[in-house]
Amino acid sequence: MLFASAFSLSVLGMVPVHAQSKVTVAKDGDRFQLMVNGQPFVIHGVGGTHELKALHDLGGNSIRTWGVESLTEPVDGKPLLDRAQELGLMVTAGIWIQQQRLGFDYDDPKAVQAQRDAVRKAVQTYKNHPALLIWGLGNEMEGPISDGSDVRVWKELNVLAGIIKEVDPNHPVMTVIAGTGGVRIKNLLAYCPKIDILGVNAYGSGAGAGKSVAQQGWDRPFILTEFGPSGQWEVPKTAWGAPIEPTANAKAACYFATQQLVMDDSKNICLGTYAFLWGHKQEATSTWYGMFLASGERLPQTDAMSLAWTGHWPDTRCPKLASLSTSVTEKTVAPGTASTATAVATDPGGHPLQYEWAVTEEIKVAGVGGDAEALSASHPECLSGQPGPSLTFTAPSTPGAYRLFLTIRNDQGCATTANVPFQVK
């Protein structure tokens, strides 16, 4: 198999130690391959900067960041780049490019020049670090809900890519777009010849992203730079508009399938993937995208990625939720209604399970494109009795939209989650 040695190298996460990494994109016939210091490298990556030792142990070999400020943030007591190098992890270093929706004006020459200067400074600062893999120039800078028709963005992106190449000829330049719709790829082809790699963020359509970029004429390599469960904009909703979140175990199946399909269907142009998110965040809910809980336990999505990267399950696995049934699921109930819930779960390793339930409000203001959201208020007064696989609770007294959350943990640092929306009226 062409580039067969790439699999073993990337699975082990081993990159030869050099004073500076030299990364190129090779082409053999119609197939692209990332080369790190002369060796094939397939990206088995995640977006995020936490739990790097766990990533290494589970078979990952790369992380992606969104801004250069992350490169020196402390991880396990050391700057991120240094800690990544210790673990044999390569870093796609994001350089944040301003977005018009957030107030940036591409017709303001002072603002444009300031951004160019910032890009040049970032590349000069970090270009020689041996853990550096790729420059990630921008993330959805065209706007996550635009069609990519503003050519000013693409023209300036090409200027910025040229600055990077001038300062650092040893690492490819990638830009990242929000899906493959609109005229994004058409404009990239027309205005961005200095972009080496196309990154695509895609969720429900992630498995087919490589085919889509190829069908639109993209003639360079591609990386699936964010993928995971279907987004909150892609799933069914309740009658009152609340998105229905898949369980963590259902998400795990989605991560695995997307990884396998995109690597197989787009093998000639796909250099690898970055699963989202190796950490936790509030977006739609507190659990929609995170592959870890805020309290640190890893979720079934990490098991799935480990299986995809290495070909085998990790030694310690997360609990499996077979079912969650409640008397309020996707229903409207009166304030104070007595309600019930029952979960059926097992642990693959036979470890004891602990159950945690919570009633929270639906988010008040939804972010756009991953923008920050406030955590939802919790209502512990609705719960009573000792936590276990079954629960008796009361609906909140105040009308509104709510969710019942379930978290199941074992004693090995692993967990699974689920939630159901309901309305009080």
Side-chain angles (χ1 to χ4, degrees):
M1 179 179 179
L2 190 63
F3 304 123
S5 61
F7 180 79
S8 59
L9 178 69
S10 59
V11 164
L12 294 174
M14 297 191 306
V15 176
V17 176
H18 291 256
Q20 176 191 33
S21 60
K22 182 175 177 60
V23 182
T24 59
V25 177
K27 190 176 184 183
D28 187 337
D30 60 353
R31 185 171 184 183
F32 292 97
Q33 172 71 59
L34 201 62
M35 307 293 289
V36 178
N37 300 322
Q39 296 295 318
F41 187 87
V42 177
I43 297 171
H44 292 171
V46 298
T49 61
H50 302 290
E51 304 292 344
L52 298 190
K53 179 63 163 57
L55 174 63
H56 170 271
D57 292 346
L58 291 170
N61 64 10
S62 183
I63 61 172
R64 177 192 170 213
T65 70
W66 287 262
V68 292
E69 66 279 356
S70 299
L71 301 180
T72 54
E73 72 176 17
V75 177
D76 301 330
K78 298 181 179 179
L80 171 66
L81 281 172
D82 293 346
R83 181 58 174 147
Q85 182 190 359
E86 282 186 345
L87 293 167
L89 303 174
M90 300 297 289
V91 179
T92 287
I95 302 176
W96 185 258
I97 301 304
Q98 298 297 328
Q99 300 181 10
Q100 293 182 98
R101 72 182 182 92
L102 300 176
F104 189 81
D105 184 0
Y106 277 91
D107 288 327
D108 181 346
K110 289 185 178 180
V112 168
Q113 185 60 50
Q115 179 162 260
R116 292 176 183 178
D117 293 343
V119 169
R120 183 180 297 274
K121 181 179 179 180
V123 177
Q124 289 172 334
T125 301
Y126 300 108
K127 66 178 183 176
N128 292 325
H129 200 285
L132 179 62
L133 182 66
I134 295 168
W135 292 109
L137 181 63
N139 182 77
E140 303 183 3
M141 59 276 134
E142 78 281 11
I145 57 175
S146 82
D147 64 355
S149 59
D150 191 337
V151 299
R152 293 175 302 170
V153 176
W154 308 113
K155 289 180 177 180
E156 183 58 25
L157 193 72
N158 198 56
V159 172
L160 296 173
I163 291 172
I164 295 176
K165 289 177 172 294
E166 172 194 335
V167 177
D168 178 13
N170 292 318
H171 298 92
V173 180
M174 173 178 70
T175 197
V176 177
I177 60 175
T180 61
V183 292
R184 293 172 171 86
I185 294 173
K186 176 184 176 182
N187 281 334
L188 276 164
L189 286 165
Y191 299 108
C192 297
K194 294 179 181 177
I195 293 296
D196 301 306
I197 302 167
L198 175 59
V200 177
N201 296 342
Y203 290 85
S205 61
K211 282 186 174 179
S212 180
V213 300
Q215 288 169 354
Q216 294 184 59
W218 184 251
D219 55 359
R220 282 158 266 173
F222 140 84
I223 297 171
L224 185 59
T225 40
E226 285 183 23
F227 73 98
S230 293
Q232 66 269 28
W233 64 93
E234 298 174 308
V235 298
K237 294 179 173 58
T238 65
W240 57 93
I244 299 170
E245 181 176 352
T247 68
N249 293 103
K251 293 175 193 174
C254 186
Y255 276 82
F256 181 82
T258 298
Q259 171 71 19
Q260 297 293 89
L261 287 170
V262 75
M263 293 301 295
D264 183 64
D265 291 349
S266 310
K267 58 188 175 184
N268 285 345
I269 65 169
C270 188
L271 303 180
T273 68
Y274 288 99
F276 187 85
L277 168 74
W278 199 259
H280 59 87
K281 70 174 297 192
Q282 166 68 43
E283 185 173 351
T285 73
S286 60
T287 57
W288 202 294
Y289 295 100
M291 300 169 76
F292 288 77
L293 295 177
S295 49
E297 293 89 351
R298 61 182 184 86
L299 294 169
Q301 300 94 299
T302 64
D303 288 357
M305 291 310 303
S306 184
L307 176 62
W309 292 329
T310 69
H312 58 79
W313 292 107
D315 292 339
T316 302
R317 292 179 57 189
C318 297
K320 297 177 68 174
L321 177 64
S323 65
L324 171 60
S325 57
T326 88
S327 59
V328 298
T329 301
E330 301 170 36
K331 294 180 179 179
T332 297
V333 299
T337 299
S339 306
T340 60
T342 301
V344 177
T346 57
D347 187 86
H351 302 288
L353 297 176
Q354 299 86 44
Y355 296 78
E356 177 184 334
W357 301 86
V359 174
T360 69
E361 297 177 10
E362 195 73 35
I363 58 169
K364 303 298 185 185
V365 180
V368 175
D371 292 348
E373 293 178 353
L375 288 170
S376 301
S378 183
H379 288 265
E381 74 280 1
C382 295
L383 308 179
S384 61
Q386 294 297 315
S390 295
L391 173 73
T392 299
F393 66 104
T394 56
S397 59
T398 303
Y402 296 87
R403 288 180 187 263
L404 175 67
F405 276 85
L406 170 63
T407 302
I408 305 173
R409 297 176 172 89
N410 63 22
D411 58 2
Q412 303 294 305
C414 302
T416 193
T417 65
N419 70 75
V420 296
F422 68 98
Q423 181 178 230
V424 174
K425 188 175 181 180

